Amino acid sequence: MLVLLAGIFVVHIATVIMLFVSTIANVWMVGSSNFGTISTGLWLLCNKTCSPLPVSSQDEASLKAVQAFMILSIIFSVVALVLFIIQLFTLEKGKRFYMTGAVMLVCWMCILIAVSIYTARFTGAVAYSTNPHHGYCFILAWICFCFSFIIGILYLVLRKK
């Protein structure tokens, strides 16, 4: 059981790190142009230099929602990690990590909402580029989606021994 809890803890820390990277880095969509590789993220459009992401007025609300839900997912994931550590030392034997699992599933829902909105509204839309495809941040966000769901369910099922 101790090895399983340690494994979940390590995967949870990896999920938090990947959420930070996927939110901060600007490689959600990548395309090529005459000037080289162009990448866009949630915040900037990068070629050789980075500039604010040009967004049409109809897509601005969607981008703000994606940004907000990704930030919320980071917050909920960190809160779940801290809550797990607190529950690890204060929870009575035989009790389950319900609170940690619930917070982690809220994180999972935030990631789902953010990545789904991004997929629906911004896939294939890289300004001034040809042959756009998803970057590693988009893929990391989907990996975090899977990990947070698995971790959340495991927290709900596991008991403290």
Side-chain angles (χ1 to χ4, degrees), residues 50-63:
C50 293
S51 61
L53 189 62
V55 180
S56 67
S57 60
Q58 64 183 2
D59 287 339
E60 187 173 6
S62 299
L63 183 63

Side-chain angles (χ1 to χ4, degrees), residues 94-157:
K95 299 286 183 172
R96 294 181 191 243
F97 298 95
Y98 286 127
M99 290 299 295
T100 305
V103 172
M104 201 61 198
L105 289 176
V106 171
C107 168
W108 167 73
M109 188 61 71
C110 288
I111 297 170
L112 174 66
I113 293 168
V115 179
S116 296
I117 292 171
Y118 192 87
T119 303
R121 300 293 287 194
F122 300 104
T123 297
V126 179
Y128 319 114
S129 71
T130 58
N131 192 21
H133 59 280
H134 295 292
Y136 70 90
C137 292
F138 182 80
I139 296 166
L140 276 179
W142 278 112
I143 291 170
C144 290
F145 167 76
C146 297
F147 281 177
S148 62
F149 180 73
I150 292 168
I151 292 168
I153 296 299
L154 285 176
Y155 279 144
L156 291 175
V157 171

